[in-house]
Amino acid sequence: MSRRRDELKALLGGTSQPETPTPEPQTEAARPRSHSSSGAVKAMGLALGNLRAEAQDARLLREQVAKGEKIIEIDPDLIEPAFVADRLSQPDRSDEAFDALCRSIESGGQEVPVLVRPHPEADKARAGWYQTAYGHRRIAATRALGIKVRAVVRPLSDEELVVAQGKENSERRDLSFIERAMFAEALLRRGFERGTVQSALSLHKAEMTRLLQVADAVPVDIARAIGPAPKAGRTRWMLLADQLKTASARDKAEREIATERFAKATSDERFVLILERLTKRSKGSAEAAEALTEDGGRVVATIRRDAKRPVIEFKGEADFAAFVADEIPALYAAFKARGRED
């Protein structure tokens, strides 16, 4: 850790820095942990994650200095957000990671600069306004602390801005699945080419399709109410999207959002509350089954997507059932690998 601090000081040259900076957290603050084995494993995972983030921070800073880009201090009140939001987190709703970021900057200073461009509107640019490419949370933190933000200013086109914005988040693996989905859809709505959006988020075609399917099925107000839900992952968001296809389901979700328990819950807890409300069955009711049919219409199998006890029933297809059973280990391995991507 001290080697990285020395490296940052050397790269920054004469720029004033706190003598004992602490790294800006990208996920959550280091908090006292219990001495249980699970706590130790989790702490180790967080430490490794912080090291990876810090290595990325140092690489970005080296690249900026190598390009001869100057780091300046700007009043955060003169910086507008990017024209497309990439986050659903709300600092005013018990965002522990944001609170930790504020504490870190307050005690150790802002080590990693943000990237901004001169404001695209000429009048605002002449008045000293800027627009964010990335670093929205750091800018918000410095604004909350009443201090200036350290930034690199680079002239960027709209396309260059969204690519920089997306790649910074992709490299940090900092955006949740739903945030990437909403970001991708918002960029397409603004007229960006699909290839540009895929490049911004480092996506291949199939991933892009899944993101857009979820973004299309989950109403924006419901997604914003839930927030980033970083633990939910792709599979569960796709399940929720499937549940929200009907007007009655969306009405149920809105009623859950209005509850006091929802307001007090964390983002991940809010996701679970809505999913459980939509998948909960009344006593004696039968779960609707999806039918897998052949071209001639004969039912081969039925699938019940019960959240707790999903069931696949084969209709007299013993060979097909045996084939599926043989494929389950490979399918499970693919599922776990896909989960790690999220």
Side-chain angles (χ1 to χ4, degrees), residues 177 232-241 271 335 338-339 342:
F177 177 84
R234 173 175 55 198
T235 302
R236 297 172 73 202
W237 271 107
M238 292 181 73
L239 175 59
L240 181 62
F271 177 91
F335 166 76
R338 194 170 71 176
D342 294 336

Side-chain angles (χ1 to χ4, degrees), residues 30-265:
R31 296 187 292 273
R33 306 281 180 179
S34 68
H35 294 290
S36 66
S37 59
S38 60
V41 171
K42 186 172 182 180
M44 182 179 294
L46 290 172
L48 292 173
N50 286 338
L51 287 173
R52 285 192 293 270
E54 289 165 6
Q56 174 66 9
D57 293 342
R59 184 184 67 78
L60 290 172
L61 190 54
R62 284 197 300 271
E63 290 177 357
Q64 290 160 358
V65 174
K67 291 177 182 176
E69 293 178 320
K70 185 178 179 181
I71 299 171
I72 65 173
E73 291 189 341
I74 302 173
D75 182 347
D77 288 334
L78 293 176
I79 304 176
E80 289 187 355
F83 51 83
V84 177
D86 57 8
R87 292 186 182 275
L88 293 175
S89 57
Q90 303 175 47
D92 61 338
R93 293 192 66 172
S94 301
D95 187 338
E96 294 182 1
F98 180 78
D99 294 340
L101 178 58
C102 289
R103 291 194 299 271
S104 175
I105 292 177
E106 184 176 32
S107 63
Q110 177 202 343
E111 289 187 350
V112 181
V114 303
L115 177 63
V116 300
R117 69 173 178 177
H119 200 283
E121 297 178 18
D123 290 344
K124 285 193 171 183
R126 283 192 292 270
W129 282 80
Y130 299 88
Q131 189 174 63
T132 312
Y134 59 72
H136 291 81
R137 287 163 63 83
R138 278 165 276 171
I139 293 171
T142 56
R143 184 181 294 116
L145 293 170
I147 61 176
K148 291 186 176 181
V149 64
R150 299 175 58 250
V152 169
V153 180
R154 187 186 302 167
L156 298 167
S157 66
D158 285 355
E159 183 172 316
E160 290 169 335
L161 184 143
V162 299
V163 169
Q165 181 182 5
K167 282 190 176 297
E168 198 261 358
N169 284 317
S170 294
E171 289 176 357
R172 292 174 180 274
R173 304 186 68 80
D174 204 15
L175 294 184
S176 68
F177 177 84
I178 191 61
E179 286 178 317
R180 287 186 291 154
M182 305 301 286
F183 184 41
E185 185 186 51
L187 291 177
L188 290 177
R189 283 203 310 268
R190 289 189 67 95
F192 286 95
E193 295 291 335
R194 193 178 178 106
T196 299
V197 178
Q198 288 181 204
S199 176
L201 287 169
S202 301
L203 299 170
H204 56 64
K205 187 176 180 179
E207 288 177 316
M208 179 78 164
T209 299
R210 286 190 288 266
L211 286 173
L212 295 178
Q213 286 173 342
V214 171
D216 182 62
V218 179
V220 174
D221 58 335
I222 293 177
R224 292 194 179 282
I226 293 173
K231 296 179 182 178
R234 173 175 55 198
T235 302
R236 297 172 73 202
W237 271 107
M238 292 181 73
L239 175 59
L240 181 62
D242 187 62
Q243 294 291 328
L244 285 168
K245 287 180 179 179
T246 66
S248 61
R250 292 191 290 273
D251 184 60
K252 282 184 182 180
E254 295 289 355
R255 290 201 299 271
E256 179 60 45
I257 290 169
T259 63
E260 184 178 355
R261 65 178 181 179
F262 187 90
K264 293 180 178 180

